[in-house]
Amino acid sequence: MTRRAPDSCPGVLRLHEAADGPLARIRVPGGRLEPAQVQTLAEAARDLADGTIELTSRGNVQLRRVSDAGALTDRLAAAGLLPSTTHERVRNIIASPLSGRIGGLADVHPLVSPLDSGLLAAPRLAGLPGRVLFTLDDGRGDVSGLGPDIGVHAVGGDEFALLLAGRDSGLRLAAADAVDVVLAAAHEFLALRGDDAGRWRLHEIPDGAERVIDRLGLSPSAERLEFDPTPSIPIGWLEQDNGLVGLGAGVRLGSLPARTAEFLAAVERPVFVTPWRSLVLTDLAEWVAEQVVRVLAPMGLIFDADSPWLLVSACAGQPGCAKSHTDVRADAADAVDSGRVLPGPADPVDVPQPLPATDVAVAGRQHWSGCDRRCGRPRGEVTDVVATDEGYRVD
Ligand code: SF4
């Protein structure tokens, strides 16, 4: 597959001109934000953008309607959220959010920093497309199903499977070699891609995974693992292995108000952005966790794993996207508030279509899109609710 357009993924230094104004995407390797960084993002959202922090499906964050790109750059750089002006868009690293705290075969969070540093240290890797995704899965299988270009998946306390083009390559690596091999694979992907700016992902290169393996000089030996694209999202009270408490918090349509983010920062504990557009607060004493739920649940964070909000995602829609037929996020929110998002499993909608928004009632996981491109659609079993110029179609 070759596209005609070069990759135009947004960053902080290259904003996307959305229909409602400039959009900045900020990479958060491993999803980890320190409290001061959460506070910086909250203040930037309030002072320089539309007042919300959007969570992305890669565990990054973005700000809409940016009014002063220079001021935003200065604030993010001062907070350590823009450590490179050359590599910012290639730092797409997702790690199992609960790793090292609850379960898993190995703690992958200590690999995030060396991988990020290795990317930043190689001038050539600034040429990776902004769509390239790296994953570090601690063996629970929560992020390996996200289709990484290059990733590792723990198969033991000291051994990882190498993932290429979204699949287990059959190669097994010692933990000590994992980051070096991932970086070497990134170099080989870049070499295979050559000058073809239309290939953004490893799976778009014919036999890309096999050719990377050849170039690495390694031989697959293990039976290949399969990964579930729809893991359960950590929501609610999470007992950490060290006796402290984590809290998984759903965020309505992935849109976090700046005010809520300021309260999160005030908890003074690390916050992880997950690729399911939710958050995990970590390392809380029990009484602090109780206070957090008491304060933040009324502000809209979701600590109930049965909440219908957790079944729904939506693209930007109007007014953010000029291609959108309607304000899909408002329609999706109204469907939740009106009780028309039903518990799963998915059930075929057996009525004439297209439908007016107020008649859409869908069970199970569903993604609302303003047009047929279906941006941001989660992987796995999802019912599509797609806007047309005559109403919604449920696919
Ligand atoms: S799915 Fe269509 S309307 Fe929604 S963000 Fe993508 S292009 Fe825009």
Side-chain angles (χ1 to χ4, degrees), residues 151-221:
V152 292
H153 180 103
V155 293
D158 200 33
E159 190 181 29
F160 287 92
L162 179 69
L163 277 49
L164 293 170
R167 303 186 61 195
D168 181 4
S169 66
L171 292 170
R172 297 294 178 263
L173 313 169
D177 298 331
V179 167
D180 287 346
V181 175
V182 168
L183 290 168
H187 279 281
E188 298 306 345
F189 166 52
L190 211 45
L192 287 175
R193 183 172 178 257
D195 296 329
D196 189 347
R199 296 189 199 274
W200 298 339
R201 307 292 307 273
L202 180 55
H203 71 79
E204 294 168 2
I205 294 177
D207 302 319
E210 292 74 16
R211 292 164 72 189
V212 167
I213 291 169
D214 277 351
R215 295 172 71 98
L216 290 172
L218 300 172
S219 303
S221 56

Side-chain angles (χ1 to χ4, degrees), residues 11 14 16 29 65 78 88-89 94 134 185 187 194 237 280 298 307 317 319-320:
R14 183 165 84 187
H16 167 62
R65 289 168 43 205
E88 61 148 335
R89 298 182 314 118
I94 299 176
F134 299 92
H187 279 281
W237 195 270
V280 176
S307 168

Side-chain angles (χ1 to χ4, degrees), residues 32 82 161 188:
R32 179 176 176 131
L82 187 61
E188 298 306 345

